[in-house]
């Protein structure tokens, strides 16, 4: 038996809700705002002489809890990349003098990663401009997220 088309916001079939025009607008605005931020982030990293992925790696290493060792495998997980890609990335960071590798004290097969002073200085500058940009975008993002959350409640 064919279903009749649902009106915006109406429940259909197995209680699956259709999306309203406002839902689509909020989703589109969220993607646009996130893409604007990512474009900003890429440009800021390039101004520091870093590809975006290297900046993301430095931030992942710096932001990792000090109580846990940052390994190449953990970095791969945090960046959503394959372990061999993370190994290549760490190699480039090491060659650039941004990351040091150390044999893990508990498991000699693993390497732990630490940032160099050079990386710390670059990351400090990048993080400062990123936080400024996020703080400027926050009101817009909060409004978008509140619109999306209203539909959940």
């Amino acid at each position: 038996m064919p279903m009749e088309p649902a009106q915006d916001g109406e429940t259909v079939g197995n209680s699956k809700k259709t999306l309203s025009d406002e839902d689509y607008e909020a989703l589109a605005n969220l993607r646009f705002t996130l893409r604007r931020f990512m474009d900003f982030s890429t440009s800021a990293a390039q101004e520091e002489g870093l590809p975006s992925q290297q900046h993301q790696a430095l931030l992942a290493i710096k932001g990792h809890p000090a109580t846990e060792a940052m390994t190449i495998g953990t970095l791969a997980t945090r960046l959503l990349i394959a372990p061999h890609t993370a190994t290549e990335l760490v190699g480039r960071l090491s060659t650039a003098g941004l990351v040091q590798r150390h044999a893990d004290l508990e498991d000699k097969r693993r390497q732990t990663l630490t940032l160099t002073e050079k990386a710390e200085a670059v990351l400090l500058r990048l993080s400062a401009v990123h936080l400024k940009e996020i703080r400027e975008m926050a009101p817009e993002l909060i409004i978008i997220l509140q619109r999306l959350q209203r539909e959940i409640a």
Side-chain angles (χ1 to χ4, degrees):
M1 172 173 174
M3 287 204 252
E4 292 181 33
Q7 301 298 315
D8 282 349
E10 192 175 311
T11 302
V12 200
N14 296 327
S15 73
K16 292 183 180 177
K17 187 175 179 300
T18 62
L19 297 178
S20 69
D21 290 343
E22 291 80 19
D23 291 329
Y24 286 110
E25 182 180 343
L27 287 168
N29 287 336
L30 178 63
R31 281 192 73 80
F32 173 67
T33 304
L34 293 174
R35 289 181 63 85
R36 265 190 12 232
F37 177 74
M38 292 307 295
D39 184 62
F40 162 83
S41 181
T42 298
S43 295
Q46 288 173 345
E47 287 177 22
E48 286 287 341
L50 286 178
S52 181
Q53 192 177 48
Q54 288 185 13
H55 169 232
Q56 291 172 35
L58 296 180
L59 185 58
I61 294 167
K62 180 70 175 177
H64 192 68
T67 55
E68 302 171 19
M70 172 53 88
T71 64
I72 292 174
T74 303
L75 183 63
T77 299
R78 296 292 295 174
L79 296 180
L80 303 175
I81 60 177
H84 72 275
T85 304
T87 300
E88 293 169 5
L89 177 59
V90 168
R92 289 191 297 276
L93 289 167
S94 180
T95 299
L98 298 168
V99 170
Q100 293 178 330
R101 304 181 213 203
H102 310 278
D104 188 307
L105 298 175
E106 296 173 14
D107 183 349
K108 300 293 184 199
R109 297 170 295 173
R110 292 189 323 172
Q111 293 181 336
T112 59
L113 308 172
T114 57
L115 299 181
T116 64
E117 287 183 26
K118 178 181 175 182
E120 294 275 0
V122 169
L123 192 56
L124 177 62
R125 289 190 300 272
L126 280 170
S127 296
V129 296
H130 276 74
L131 283 173
K132 181 179 182 290
E133 183 72 9
I134 288 169
R135 287 178 179 133
E136 288 175 10
M137 295 177 94
E140 182 181 356
L141 280 167
I142 289 167
I143 289 168
I144 293 167
L145 293 171
Q146 285 174 335
R147 284 183 185 150
L148 291 168
Q149 188 177 29
R150 249 186 300 215
E151 295 301 317
I152 295 170

